[in-house]
Amino acid sequence: MKSGIHPEYHEITVIMTDGTQFKTRSCMGKAGETLRLDIDPKSHPAWTGQQRIMDTGGQVAKFNKKFAGLGLKR
């Protein structure tokens, strides 16, 4: 390996959405930093199988209003 071209590999703390934490090694940030996850395998629908609709700023309501009559034949 060439010297001086690889990122520093150090230990960081990862905090999951439920508050549990663990230490791992990473190139992210600096040694001793903390990474807080917004989505992890305990909360993401791909792993849990449960869908949650997070309506931020009324986006779902706006979509439903815009496409309410689409596909209805009279």
Side-chain angles (χ1 to χ4, degrees), residues 14-72:
V14 178
I15 300 178
M16 308 286 267
T17 57
D18 65 351
T20 59
Q21 56 185 349
F22 63 92
K23 292 193 181 286
T24 187
R25 295 185 55 84
S26 174
C27 295
M28 184 212 87
K30 296 180 178 149
E33 285 193 5
T34 301
L35 172 64
R36 291 187 173 274
L37 300 179
D38 294 330
I39 296 175
D40 64 11
K42 295 177 184 176
S43 64
H44 194 278
W47 287 282
T48 63
Q50 298 174 350
Q51 286 285 4
R52 292 185 316 182
I53 296 177
M54 297 176 65
D55 189 6
T56 55
Q59 294 294 322
V60 174
K62 183 179 173 183
F63 177 85
N64 288 337
K65 181 179 175 185
K66 184 174 182 178
F67 297 106
L70 188 65
L72 297 176

